Each structure stands twice: as C-alpha cells, then as structure tokens.
Amino acid sequence: MKNNILIATLLLCGAYGAFGQPLNRPTYAMMVQTAEEQMEKKDYYRALEWYEKAYDESKDIEMVIKIADLSYMLRDYNKSEKWYARALRPTKKNKKVDEYEEKRFEYARSLKMNEKYDEAIEEFNKFINSSKDPARKELAELEKVGCEFGRVAKPVDGVTITHGGKEINGKNSEYSPFLSADNKEIYFAALVGDDVIVVADKPDADGKTKVDLGVKEEEGTSDYYSKIYKSTKGEKGWGKPEALDENVNRPEFFNVNNSISPDGKRMFFNRELLDGHILKESKIYVSENNGGTWGAANEVKGVNGDYIAKSPCVGELFGKEVLFFVSDMEGGQGGYDIYYATYKGNGQYGDPVNLGPKINSIGNEETPFYRDGVLYFSSDGHPGLGGYDVFMSTWNGTMWSKPTNMGKGYNSSVDDLYFMLDKEGYTGVLASNRPGEGSRSVHSKTCCNDIYNVLLKKIEADILATAYDLETKEPLTGVTFELIEMQGETPKTIETKTNSGANNYDAVLELDRSYMIIASAENYENDTVRFNTIGLFDSKNYKERLDLKPGRIVKKIVRNEPFVLENILYDFDDDKITVPAEGDLQVIYDLMNKYPDMVIELSSHTDARGDEAYNRNLSQRRAESARRWLTSKGIVRNRIEAKGYGESQPKTVDAKSNAKYPYLKVGDVLTEEYINTLLPDSVKFEAAHQLNRRTEFKILSGPTSITIEEEQLIQIGNRKVDPNAPKAEPKKEEKPAQRRPAPNRNNRRGNAPSGGGDSLKPAPIKLNVEPIKKDSIIIDKLSSLYGKKDLKGFPIMQFDTRMYDMGEVKKGDLKEYTFHFTNVGDVPADIDIVSVCECTSYELGPSLVKPGEKGWIKVIFDSGKKDESDTSDVDIYLKNIDPEIDAPIFERVQFKYDLIQ
C-alpha cells in the first residue's frame, strides 16, 4: 500500500504544530465549523476529533452530547459511557440535563455494552420513568431483561471461541464468514487496507445509527469497496486471502453478505451501494460454481424490490427449498426483519413471507443461517447480553419455537453476527466486535468486527430402552421396538428391531430431533414413550422404560396384507357412511393415532353385477367417503390412499369365510364365473356376491406390522350398535334404470344390481373437505382458521367457491376465472401476499376488505407452461396474525384443468 496516508498524517501533525503557535491557533468557532463540515461528509471519525478539540477549548456542554453521540455511533462504548455520564450529570454549568434526558437510553446501553449491568438497569429505570416515548420505553424494558440475563450468565460449556488470526482479520471490519462444505476454505467480505473511513450504518433497535469503520480511499484510486475473499486452511490456520474475480466482485459496488448453498454449487451475496456512507441499495445475487470457478452472478428473481434485501441464506420449509433473507420492506415488525421466499425453479422465487412476530421483534433481526430445522440469527430486539446477540429457533414442521439466546461465549456484551455451523454441527464461525486477545481494530477496541472460529464439543446422544411386564415387573423378552422420528405431520420409522434374548434396545440418535418408541409383544398391549434431543449442549444417554400390559392379541396385521372392515356397509347405490360403518372407522382412526407414521390404503370393492365402469366409480366414491370421515377428525390426508377397485379384485376365500360358509373352499377366488356355478341356490349365490362387496385397509408404509387387541377385533368383526344410537335408514330398493346412466355404460351383464366402488380415472387431488359450520359462518378446510372454536377478532373470507373446474384446456390457451369472497368476520381482512405458480398470474381487488364487504381475486392461467392435467393452488396470506400460532392467517382456493395437447 502506498504511503500517502502516512504523508498526509505527517502533514496534519505539522498543521497541529502550527496550530500550537498563538497566531495560527484555530478558534473555537473554526473547530466547530470544521467538525460540522466533516459531519456533512459523513466522516464521523474526523468530526469527533474536531468536536473533542472544540470542547477542550471551550468546555461547552453542547460539545459533550455531540461527542457522546458520535462515540456511541462509532461503537466506542467506553468513551460514550464517559461522555453521556458527563452530559447527564447536573452541575452549575450544565443546565441542559432535562433537555438531554432522552439520551439516558444510549447511556444505559453504553453501560450494558461495558458489562456494567446493575448500573445499566438503574439508568434504564430512570429513562422509563421520565420518557414519553412508548416505543423506546418498551425497548428499555427488553434491555433490562437482557441485563438481568447478563448478570447471571455463565459461559456455555463445550464451546470454544478463538480469534481467526491476522491473515483474515485486518484492522477494519470483516463480514459474513462462511465455511465451505469440507471446512478447508472460508469465504468472507472485507475492506482493503487499515485506514479509517465510515462505510456502513447499523441502526439500533431504537433507530439510532451505529457504524463500522473501513478504509480510506487512496489518492488516484477508487478501489475502496468491500470484496468477497477466499482463504484456505493450512497447518497454522487460515492462509492469506485472495479476492474472487469480477464475476462476483463487481467494481464500484460493495460486495458482501456471502453464503453458500448446502450442495456447494451456489453462492448468494449482496451488491450494495452507499450514499455517502449510508446504505441505500442492496440486492441479492447468485453465482454458480462451475468446475471450481464461480461464474457470472445474476440478480435473484422474486426477492429484490424497492427495499433493502440482504444476508441471503438457503434453507428448507414445508419440504421445499427457501431463501431466507433480511429486509426493511413495508409491513414488517420492526427495523430489519427476516423473510423467506420459496424456490419455484428456473431461478425464480415466490413472494417474500415475513417470519412473523415470534422471530421478528420491534428491533432488528440480521444474518440468518439455517441448518437441519434450526434457524440461527442475530437480534438487538430480543433480550440479550449486548447489542446484537445470536439466537436459535427450531422449526417443527408448522411453526417456529420461541427464540433462545445462545448464551455467553457465543454472545458477548457487544455485537455478534453471522453465526454459522458446518454440516456436522461442531465447527463454525462468527463475526464480532468483542474486545480481547487477538482482536484488531483501527480505532477503539470495539469499533470493528473480526472473524472468530467456533468449536463445539462433540455432542452425542443414544437411547437405551427396556421393556417390562406391567403387572409382574419382570423383564420382558421378545419385544419389538420401533424407533420413530417425529417430523411434523409425517413421522418416519427409523428402525424396527425384535430382541428375542433380552429386554433391551439401544440406538444412536441424531441431534435436534423428536422421537417416539413403540414397544410391542405378543399377548401384550403396546407401550410408547416420547423424547427429543433438541438443544443439547452435552452428550446424553437416554434411558427409557416401557411397561407392557398383558392382554390377548388375536390378530396381527402385516404390511401390504389386506384386512376386511366388515361393518363398513353402504346403502344400495349410495356412498354415505352409515352408523355401523362409523364404528369401524373409529377403530382405524385410533390405530392411526397410535401409529403416527402409518400410511394406509382404504379400498372399496363391488360384486360383478352391473356395469364395470359404474361400479368402479361408485366404489371410488365410497373409498373417498371413508377417507373424508377420517380426515374430518384430523388425520392428514396424505396418510390415506383411497382406492376404488370396483369388481376387478374378487375376494379369495380365507379360513374365516370358510368357517361361515363351508361350501366355499379356502383359496377359491370368487370370480363371476365361480359364483354362477352356485346357482340355482340363490342363498349361496347372494352370499358369495356379498363377500365381494367389502371395504379393506392395508398398511402401505410405516410399521411393518401392527397388532389389534381382542376387544378391538371383536368390535371390527361383530360390532353391536348402541341401541340408543340413531337408526340407519333402511336400504331402498332401487333399480339401475331409475339412476342416470353413467357415460359409455354398456349393460353387458343385464340389469342386475351393482355393488359399491369408485372410479379409477386419475383425477386432480381434491383438498376440500366437509366445512365446519360456526353458527351461520362456514370455515373451510383450506383456511388456517379451520377448527377454531372462537372466531371473534378474525377476518373470515367466505368464498363463493374454493375449487373451480376449468374443464378441458387446450395447451397454449389462456383461461381466466375470478374468485369472489365476502368478509363475514368482525375485523378487516388485510391481504398481504397472493402466491401462484409460474403458470399463473393474478389481479387483486381491494387489499383491505372490511367486515361485510366483498373482494375478488382474478387468476389468468397460461396452459402453455404446463405439460399435464393438474390442480393449481392460489395461496393468500393476510397481514392479520393468528395469535395462537404467531403466523399470518392463510387461505387457499384452487382451480383444476384437463390439459389437451
């Protein structure tokens, strides 16, 4: 680096020497004027120097508050504490204490940053008692909670934080450290050189500005922008960094906030522009890795706009890739909030969605990082030890947990940002302006960020489960243990193991997971236990005891083995569930709750009389009715596959059927030809047809087998209806001729009555179910309000229709439809986002729909962007928050189409 700065410094010192002469000494007014000129240039450091000189000259109290504010802005908390104390101390000369009372907030925060928590609490209390600003008073209360935490916080065991070394840390700030997949490389952003200039603002939770210091532009060059660098790890630590080429580091932009996708193939980062030294533009870009070289970056589609978008990071929600990022767009909770956008494919992302008030505070949330269902981020709005603390929140498949402060060590009394962990979860990095051994700063001890290595003690978890007889308390051998990972609504069986020689089961567990173990044994009732490995900071051996109650088990159902539900019967030519059928379905419901990872097929079969296509259609509707009964009680739809086989799968006679009908031999298949041989005995003939008219269920995935206790089996095989229960309507004798013929019906078997079934024709998935009625208000299953008992205080969008069938659509044609709705709730519906697929655009009526008013959403479907028939969702997110789940209210409508090439 050239010596211009050194020469300039010597010249400046010479000037100071000249100022020492009485004739050349600058006046107080000249000093103040020079300081104000530097403020206009946003050269805060030099402005501070001149204000200090002006104070030395005049002892003017107005200089005191200016020096305090600038020191606080430049993150020199030792100095800001001293000067705020002086400004707020009543003296004969200081008559502006009352005028400066609002500055007590910054004074208290300076004390907090210097770990003087008791004094900080005292000053926050004074501020709360005197301030008339409700927002700042709320922030002061949160700061007090952070101080209380700081008073008792002890360093977290098992984590070691060390300085990243001089090779990657200069005297100015470093940003966004991010490890490569193999931990051999680190990417980060930094400024060039070691001279002072203010390069970026950081608003506090209360809106005040803090700044980082950067490099001074050298004479004759404009290369003072931040760049993204790569450093390789050697035997002695991180090596000398090299800047990435102009594919990433575009000249005359600040290139910063880099992160890498989990597969290592994409780098997301920001290109930023500053006005003076204040951040005015920040957009997200992505570069792809081709053979070890980062390619030309492109602006990410869907997430950028007329707002700041920064700190991108790849994650996953609802089984789909998302991009987390930070923005100050309108409608947020505070200053900067964390949002996510779902990846739609072909480089396109959906509309940004705010993570809501549980994650986003009235302050600022920054630098999100996602790993295995956990979101790490920094915040100055949640109670913390210092300024920005690192927090974590766990995603359970539907919502985020309350953010948890990572604790002392991860966090200091100042700012801690850009925390990330590697794939294994034991090595990471962060950026912090914490003082201490190894830290390097161009100005004060806390002015600038350095990169720190994070090393976690390896944490392991395992389980030892033991089984006992509940009554004798003796160890129970021959028990089958099933280990299940609870993944939101789709639990996953990890292992099923039977121990014939002992009563124990052991397994290694993954961290940050929820588990359940089901223990089963012949002639015993099952027992279950739940536990989780979330938030462990030390290795742990889980010991769980399962006590199995003796009881007769008379049936074991094996995966893919059909089991007949003998009481699921239907009225002739009808698909409605009868009262006896509800009993069998209740047993299935209980079993599905008992085995939460079980996915089943519900199939309906008819006899061979009547038209084949008609029988399939009816059987499918009957299977769908059974599924709808279960989903209405809370079973997730994708756990039940409804199949209508019509007459295509005649029953094979089993031992039970043989015992009831001895003239049917075990193994006989009840085809139409076989049944016709039973004539002229009409009783035998009808009995065989009746056996074909059946509903079955079988396990498709989840447990390899389940056991049904004797009481349940008796209920299924020979259910007695409660005599006080409503009676089912008697079967109506109907002739097929009285029913409108099905398309293409050929009556090839004459006019014999048909059994039950349903169509096998592929159809779009129909998500709509029986709505819930609340008084005169209907809450549809496609609304997040579905199931709520108290609807007071909610907007309720009652659509004329939730599903529109466009019918046959020729590929390339445009189709339009307008969904109309009425807000039948008691508060306005404030529509925030409408999300559609890439094949659809939309027009929105009024975004704010008051109670009793009507609104509309028009969808324009471009069939040229689709290759097959489908059902398309239109997702509507409201700004109205559901307080029970801390998330926006969600509505969905759909349209379907049959695509014709």
Side-chain angles (χ1 to χ4, degrees):
M1 183 173 177
K2 297 180 181 179
N3 293 320
N4 308 52
I5 304 306
L6 176 59
I7 295 170
T9 304
L10 293 173
L11 290 173
L12 189 58
C13 291
Y16 291 161
F19 292 157
Q21 303 301 318
L23 294 178
N24 296 326
R25 182 182 182 86
T27 65
Y28 168 73
M30 291 172 60
M31 293 177 183
V32 173
Q33 181 181 349
T34 303
E36 291 175 349
E37 289 173 353
Q38 298 304 313
M39 286 293 291
E40 288 181 5
K41 297 178 182 179
K42 298 182 176 63
D43 193 343
Y44 304 121
Y45 179 62
R46 285 169 179 77
L48 175 62
E49 290 179 338
W50 284 105
Y51 280 133
E52 288 176 327
K53 292 180 185 299
Y55 178 79
D56 291 340
E57 181 70 20
S58 67
K59 306 302 179 185
D60 185 348
I61 193 63
E62 291 188 2
M63 296 299 102
V64 174
I65 204 66
K66 291 181 183 294
I67 293 169
D69 283 344
L70 277 172
S71 298
Y72 181 82
M73 182 187 296
L74 294 169
R75 300 199 294 178
D76 188 344
Y77 301 116
N78 284 323
K79 185 178 285 187
S80 66
E81 176 196 330
K82 180 182 74 173
W83 287 96
Y84 280 128
R86 184 174 298 178
L88 294 168
R89 186 185 305 125
T91 65
K92 292 181 180 180
K93 293 184 178 181
N94 185 5
K95 299 180 180 181
K96 294 189 175 185
V97 173
D98 292 341
E99 182 181 333
Y100 297 149
E101 190 61 32
E102 283 293 317
K103 297 294 183 181
R104 197 172 293 280
F105 183 92
E106 285 76 22
Y107 176 40
R109 273 193 118 240
S110 298
L111 290 165
K112 182 188 178 191
M113 300 290 190
N114 292 326
E115 296 186 273
K116 298 178 181 179
Y117 295 117
D118 289 328
E119 296 174 55
I121 291 173
E122 182 179 347
E123 295 302 322
F124 280 124
N125 282 329
K126 291 179 182 178
F127 173 81
I128 291 167
N129 291 332
S130 63
S131 177
K132 297 180 179 179
D133 185 335
R136 298 237 300 169
K137 290 173 73 170
E138 183 179 355
L139 287 168
E141 294 286 0
L142 292 172
E143 293 286 1
K144 283 173 56 182
V145 176
C147 290
E148 294 287 356
F149 175 44
R151 291 175 58 191
V152 299
K154 296 181 180 180
V156 176
D157 291 334
V159 57
T160 303
I161 311 291
T162 58
H163 192 259
K166 294 182 178 180
E167 290 291 353
I168 59 172
N169 286 309
K171 291 184 178 181
N172 297 294
S173 282
E174 286 74 38
Y175 311 88
S176 56
F178 205 96
L179 298 173
S180 63
D182 59 7
N183 289 353
K184 294 180 180 179
E185 296 172 338
I186 184 172
Y187 292 84
F188 64 96
L191 298 143
V192 181
D194 287 338
D195 300 296
V196 178
I197 193 171
V198 180
V199 297
D201 65 351
K202 287 182 180 295
D204 265 343
D206 65 335
K208 301 296 182 182
T209 298
K210 296 193 296 184
V211 300
D212 288 341
L213 297 180
V215 59
K216 177 176 179 178
E217 179 180 354
E218 294 187 45
E219 184 177 352
T221 180
S222 61
D223 191 16
Y224 62 94
Y225 296 93
S226 61
K227 293 181 173 65
I228 297 174
Y229 291 81
K230 180 180 74 172
S231 173
T232 303
K233 182 178 288 187
E235 294 181 0
K236 297 183 179 180
W238 296 114
K240 185 177 180 179
E242 295 182 358
L244 302 185
D245 62 26
E246 293 186 1
N247 282 337
V248 174
N249 288 317
R250 178 178 291 180
E252 301 185 3
F253 280 82
F254 289 89
N255 305 279
V256 70
N257 294 331
N258 49 281
S259 70
I260 300 174
S261 61
D263 59 9
K265 295 180 179 180
R266 291 167 293 162
M267 176 188 290
F268 293 85
F269 65 97
N270 286 128
R271 285 176 177 164
E272 299 181 343
L273 291 175
L274 283 69
D275 181 8
H277 301 297
I278 297 176
L279 182 62
K280 289 297 183 182
E281 179 181 306
S282 178
K283 294 188 181 297
I284 299 173
Y285 285 77
V286 61
S287 171
E288 296 190 1
N289 194 311
N290 299 308
T293 301
W294 294 104
N298 295 303
E299 185 175 334
V300 175
K301 300 176 183 177
V303 298
N304 295 308
D306 295 330
Y307 44 76
I308 301 297
K310 61 179 182 175
S311 298
C313 177
V314 173
E316 180 182 333
L317 290 179
F318 303 107
K320 296 180 180 180
E321 179 183 316
V322 300
L323 188 69
F324 293 102
F325 66 98
V326 171
S327 178
D328 63 349
M329 69 178 71
E330 293 184 3
Q333 306 295 326
Y336 283 112
D337 281 11
I338 301 176
Y339 292 76
Y340 78 87
T342 303
Y343 186 56
K344 300 288 189 179
N346 298 321
Q348 179 71 41
Y349 286 82
D351 293 328
V353 178
N354 191 294
L355 290 191
K358 185 174 285 187
I359 298 294
N360 292 315
S361 68
I362 60 173
N364 299 282
E365 279 62 52
E366 297 272 7
T367 64
F369 171 73
Y370 176 92
R371 176 187 173 275
D372 286 348
V374 180
L375 181 70
Y376 303 90
F377 62 95
S378 293
S379 173
D380 66 359
H382 295 288
L385 295 171
Y388 282 96
D389 273 23
V390 181
F391 292 80
M392 62 176 288
S393 176
T394 302
W395 176 252
N396 70 359
T398 57
M399 68 179 69
W400 295 104
S401 66
K402 182 179 179 181
T404 302
N405 191 297
M406 295 282 285
K408 193 171 184 178
Y410 294 99
N411 293 311
S412 66
S413 65
V414 282
D415 295 328
D416 302 281
L417 300 143
Y418 298 106
F419 175 79
M420 67 86 60
L421 288 172
D422 68 353
K423 181 172 62 175
E424 298 299 323
Y426 300 106
T427 303
V429 287
L430 61 80
S432 176
N433 65 330
R434 61 183 68 187
E437 184 178 351
S439 64
R440 308 182 71 200
S441 295
V442 72
H443 179 42
S444 67
K445 293 181 180 180
T446 53
C447 72
C448 305
N449 298 333
D450 275 1
I451 297 172
Y452 288 82
N453 298 316
V454 179
L455 182 63
L456 279 68
K457 177 176 65 178
K458 189 167 186 179
I459 300 173
E460 297 177 330
D462 56 35
I463 176 73
L464 175 63
T466 50
Y468 293 85
D469 186 302
L470 179 63
E471 295 181 357
T472 67
K473 309 301 181 185
E474 294 295 323
L476 190 62
T477 60
V479 174
T480 297
F481 296 88
E482 183 177 6
L483 178 65
I484 299 171
E485 181 182 328
M486 309 303 291
Q487 299 178 335
E489 297 179 341
T490 55
K492 175 184 177 183
T493 297
I494 304 299
E495 182 180 36
T496 301
K497 188 175 181 179
T498 302
N499 192 342
S500 57
N503 75 320
N504 65 295
Y505 166 76
D506 60 87
V508 176
L509 306 172
E510 297 287 336
L511 299 181
D512 297 316
R513 299 287 192 274
S514 294
Y515 290 100
M516 178 171 69
I517 290 180
I518 301 175
S520 59
E522 187 175 357
N523 299 326
Y524 283 86
E525 296 181 11
N526 295 353
D527 193 17
T528 62
V529 64
R530 292 174 180 258
F531 57 96
N532 69 73
T533 59
I534 296 172
L536 291 183
F537 291 102
D538 286 298
S539 296
K540 184 172 181 178
N541 172 248
Y542 292 82
K543 295 182 179 180
E544 301 290 351
R545 174 175 174 139
L546 295 104
D547 294 295
L548 281 69
K549 180 181 178 180
R552 288 186 59 204
I553 304 298
V554 297
K555 179 63 180 177
K556 184 175 184 179
I557 302 174
V558 180
R559 186 184 295 179
N560 291 318
E561 175 187 283
F563 185 79
V564 178
L565 303 171
E566 297 184 4
N567 284 293
I568 299 188
L569 304 174
Y570 300 88
D571 289 341
F572 178 73
D573 202 27
D574 200 353
D575 59 14
K576 293 183 177 62
I577 298 297
T578 62
V579 172
E582 288 190 3
D584 281 8
L585 289 173
Q586 180 64 44
V587 174
I588 300 302
Y589 171 77
D590 294 339
L591 288 172
M592 297 200 75
N593 281 327
K594 189 173 185 179
Y595 300 92
D597 64 330
M598 184 168 69
V599 178
I600 68 169
E601 177 186 278
L602 276 178
S603 59
S604 183
H605 305 263
T606 71
D607 61 26
R609 295 177 291 186
D611 176 67
E612 182 178 10
Y614 181 78
N615 283 341
R616 285 192 176 183
N617 182 276
L618 182 59
S619 67
Q620 183 66 34
R621 286 192 285 113
R622 288 177 172 176
E624 292 282 357
S625 292
R627 174 166 64 181
R628 189 159 51 247
W629 190 95
L630 291 166
T631 57
S632 71
K633 294 177 70 67
I635 302 298
V636 179
R637 190 179 191 276
N638 61 13
R639 292 182 60 197
I640 307 166
E641 186 172 339
K643 286 280 191 178
Y645 290 101
E647 61 193 65
S648 64
Q649 294 186 4
K651 182 177 176 61
T652 299
V653 178
D654 54 19
K656 185 176 181 180
S657 301
N658 171 255
K660 189 173 183 180
Y661 306 108
Y663 53 85
L664 300 177
K665 296 180 180 179
V666 174
D668 286 347
V669 180
L670 301 182
T671 63
E672 184 178 14
E673 291 74 14
Y674 177 90
I675 295 175
N676 286 337
T677 64
L678 300 176
L679 290 172
D681 190 328
S682 61
V683 173
K684 294 180 179 180
F685 178 84
E686 289 298 332
H689 276 302
Q690 183 182 14
L691 286 174
N692 272 334
R693 297 193 298 270
R694 68 198 187 278
T695 296
E696 299 174 335
F697 91 92
K698 64 181 176 182
I699 305 168
L700 298 179
S701 65
T704 56
S705 65
I706 63 173
T707 51
I708 298 182
E709 299 164 16
E710 179 180 27
E711 181 180 354
Q712 290 177 296
L713 192 63
I714 292 173
Q715 289 174 338
I716 291 178
N718 188 22
R719 183 172 307 280
K720 294 183 179 180
V721 180
D722 184 348
N724 297 318
K727 302 298 182 182
E729 292 292 329
K731 293 184 179 181
K732 300 176 181 179
E733 291 298 330
E734 257 182 84
K735 297 180 181 180
Q738 293 175 306
R739 181 181 179 95
R740 181 179 178 181
N744 300 322
R745 187 171 181 178
N746 58 23
N747 294 316
R748 59 184 172 85
R749 294 184 180 89
N751 291 326
S754 64
D758 212 8
S759 174
L760 286 177
K761 178 183 178 181
I765 295 174
K766 184 179 180 182
L767 292 177
N768 209 356
V769 301
E770 297 287 338
I772 292 178
K773 294 184 179 179
K774 301 292 184 181
D775 299 323
S776 60
I777 297 174
I778 299 177
I779 305 298
D780 197 274
K781 182 76 172 187
L782 297 183
S783 170
S784 63
L785 300 179
Y786 180 80
K788 282 190 175 297
K789 296 180 180 179
D790 185 3
L791 296 171
K792 186 177 181 181
F794 290 99
I796 302 172
M797 298 172 69
Q798 187 164 289
F799 284 85
D800 292 350
T801 180
R802 291 264 181 171
M803 165 66 80
Y804 175 67
D805 189 352
M806 291 185 172
E808 293 183 347
V809 179
K810 187 176 180 180
K811 185 174 176 62
D813 286 352
L814 295 178
K815 288 286 186 178
E816 299 179 355
Y817 181 75
T818 301
F819 292 92
H820 294 274
F821 67 91
T822 303
N823 181 3
V824 297
D826 55 8
V827 298
D830 194 357
I831 299 175
D832 188 12
I833 294 170
V834 177
S835 178
V836 295
C837 73
E838 69 276 6
C839 66
T840 306
S841 58
Y842 71 90
E843 296 174 8
L844 177 64
S847 60
L848 188 69
V849 182
K850 296 179 181 179
E853 292 185 351
K854 296 182 181 294
W856 54 270
I857 301 170
K858 179 180 180 180
V859 294
I860 303 97
F861 169 54
D862 183 359
S863 63
K865 296 182 178 180
K866 285 294 185 178
D867 296 321
E868 58 185 9
S869 302
D870 202 358
T871 297
S872 187
D873 297 336
V874 181
D875 295 336
I876 305 144
Y877 296 88
L878 305 188
K879 292 182 180 178
N880 309 78
I881 298 296
D882 185 342
E884 290 185 10
I885 60 175
D886 280 337
I889 293 173
F890 167 86
E891 303 284 345
R892 173 178 288 173
V893 294
Q894 299 172 309
F895 63 89
K896 63 181 180 178
Y897 50 91
D898 290 327
L899 193 65
I900 302 174
Q901 300 292 337

